[in-house]
Amino acid sequence: MHAPPTNLLKAIAFKLISALMFAAMSALVRHLSDVAPVGQIVFFRSACAIPPVLLIYAFRGELLTAVRTNRFFGHLGRGTVSVCGMFSNFAALARLPLADATAIQFCSPLITVGLAAIVLKERVRVFRWTAVGIGFVGVIVMLIPNFDPKHYTAAGVGTAAAVGSVLSIISAFCNAGAVVQTRRLTQSESTSSIVFYFSLSCALVGAATLPFAWYTPTASELMGLIAMGILGGVAHIFLTESYRYATASVIAPFDYTSLLWALAIGYWFFGELPSGLVYVGASIVAAAGLVVIWRERQLGIARAREAEGPRRPEI
């Protein structure tokens, strides 16, 4: 059975909205990282995301579902990986142009394939491994300018770009690990509890850094920190909602619109334009990711047919 067109349109719309909001959130992180320490940004991103999440679930009558859990250590594991991913991502955004950091993150779905094979023992054939390998070639192409020795003569700019690139790759690995752990949790946990404990874990770790590095923001900077958290929380809700109305393989390709938003926002607000190699590498990574998504869809259809069993001949 196919989902009604209205549901598909709603799923795609929610996905596009979430991509735009995440891009706007990243732009605020990029802007605020000039004055506020990473731990403080992580705290506001996570703590300010909790109220809208709880309000939405309270409105639905799912508040107890969000808080209740039977797998505390599973959430703890996912939270730990997610915290590492958030810290490294925000630190990368402080050192890289917005579009560059976003493009490097596109390798996360490719890493997920490898981790799923190792951790979840999923069967990955040559077709998907080839796509993963090609995708990482694209990542290397994107990283070439940031590791070019000529850049190191520009007052440490090259060093910052190289460190930012490494941090962005670490973030991509952490995000892939979080996806794998989420797959485990969804076997017994609700989506609302996964979202809630993710935000709570990151907020607590961010709060633990405040005594060591605290910047007193101005009124406008405080508004930016709060807006960043609300954007992240609401974007997470839209992202979760999009999967209610269509399968992941249908709406996952629209995640790549985040690069378009990052290009537009980066140019408009920061005057940033990626080098030609970033465009080439991002195209290779996006193509490899779309191939992986297409293959996942084909395998999902095949598994569904096997579950239905052989069709009986009509009489």
Side-chain angles (χ1 to χ4, degrees), residues 7-16 18-19 238-257 290 293 297:
N7 286 357
L8 287 176
L9 290 175
K10 186 178 288 187
I12 292 170
F14 284 174
K15 183 70 170 181
L16 293 175
S18 73
F238 272 110
L239 177 63
T240 304
E241 286 297 303
S242 68
Y243 289 98
R244 288 179 181 267
Y245 299 102
T247 60
S249 59
V250 171
I251 60 176
F254 293 94
D255 193 42
Y256 290 96
T257 59
L290 291 172
I293 292 168
R297 177 172 173 77

Side-chain angles (χ1 to χ4, degrees), residues 103-112 135-136 139 168-169 172-173 176 285:
I104 295 173
Q105 289 295 310
F106 283 162
C107 69
S108 184
L110 305 176
I111 299 171
T112 302
F136 278 109
V139 174
S168 193
I169 293 174
F173 270 93
V285 174

Side-chain angles (χ1 to χ4, degrees), residues 207-224:
T209 68
L210 299 183
F212 305 99
W214 171 262
Y215 168 76
T216 302
T218 63
S220 61
E221 290 166 349
L222 180 61
M223 289 178 61

Side-chain angles (χ1 to χ4, degrees), residues 18-32:
S18 73
L20 173 58
M21 296 182 80
F22 277 128
M25 183 203 74
S26 296
L28 282 172
V29 173
R30 176 90 170 82
H31 172 66
L32 294 166

Side-chain angles (χ1 to χ4, degrees), residues 302-314:
R303 284 192 292 265
R305 287 175 178 170
E306 290 178 2
E308 290 176 359
R311 298 183 60 181
R312 295 181 181 179
E314 297 181 0

Side-chain angles (χ1 to χ4, degrees), residues 142-154 157-159 161-162 165 277:
M142 284 191 288
L143 295 179
I144 288 174
N146 294 337
F147 288 92
D148 186 349
K150 296 178 182 178
H151 287 270
Y152 288 90
T153 60
V157 173
T159 304
S165 298
L277 286 176

Side-chain angles (χ1 to χ4, degrees), residues 74-305:
H75 287 291
L76 182 63
R78 183 187 186 275
T80 301
V81 176
S82 298
V83 165
C84 293
M86 188 176 292
F87 267 88
S88 54
N89 182 36
F90 288 1
L93 284 168
R95 294 167 172 83
L96 290 176
L98 187 60
D100 291 46
T102 303
I104 295 173
Q105 289 295 310
F106 283 162
C107 69
S108 184
L110 305 176
I111 299 171
T112 302
V113 173
L115 290 181
I118 297 171
V119 178
L120 301 180
K121 307 302 181 183
E122 292 184 4
R123 190 172 187 181
V124 179
R125 296 183 182 275
V126 176
F127 188 90
R128 281 188 289 171
W129 280 124
T130 302
V132 170
I134 293 173
F136 278 109
V137 170
V139 174
I140 293 172
V141 171
M142 284 191 288
L143 295 179
I144 288 174
N146 294 337
F147 288 92
D148 186 349
K150 296 178 182 178
H151 287 270
Y152 288 90
T153 60
V157 173
T159 304
V163 172
S165 298
V166 173
L167 288 168
S168 193
I169 293 174
I170 292 173
S171 175
F173 270 93
C174 291
N175 292 340
V179 170
V180 171
Q181 182 63 10
T182 300
R183 288 186 186 178
R184 285 178 165 180
L185 288 173
T186 52
Q187 297 173 3
S188 60
E189 299 293 290
S190 65
T191 301
S192 56
S193 69
I194 293 173
V195 172
F196 171 71
Y197 283 105
F198 157 75
S199 298
L200 182 62
S201 300
C202 294
L204 291 175
V205 175
T209 68
L210 299 183
F212 305 99
W214 171 262
Y215 168 76
T216 302
T218 63
S220 61
E221 290 166 349
L222 180 61
M223 289 178 61
L225 288 166
I226 295 172
M228 174 192 64
I230 294 175
L231 278 171
V234 176
H236 211 148
I237 292 171
F238 272 110
L239 177 63
T240 304
E241 286 297 303
S242 68
Y243 289 98
R244 288 179 181 267
Y245 299 102
T247 60
S249 59
V250 171
I251 60 176
F254 293 94
D255 193 42
Y256 290 96
T257 59
S258 59
L259 180 58
L260 300 178
W261 294 125
L263 284 168
I265 295 173
Y267 176 72
W268 186 265
F269 290 99
F270 304 106
E272 299 171 346
L273 278 177
S275 66
L277 286 176
V278 172
Y279 290 107
V280 174
S283 300
I284 295 172
V285 174
L290 291 172
V291 168
V292 169
I293 292 168
W294 173 81
R295 185 56 178 167
E296 292 284 356
R297 177 172 173 77
Q298 297 300 111
L299 293 173
I301 293 173
R303 284 192 292 265
R305 287 175 178 170

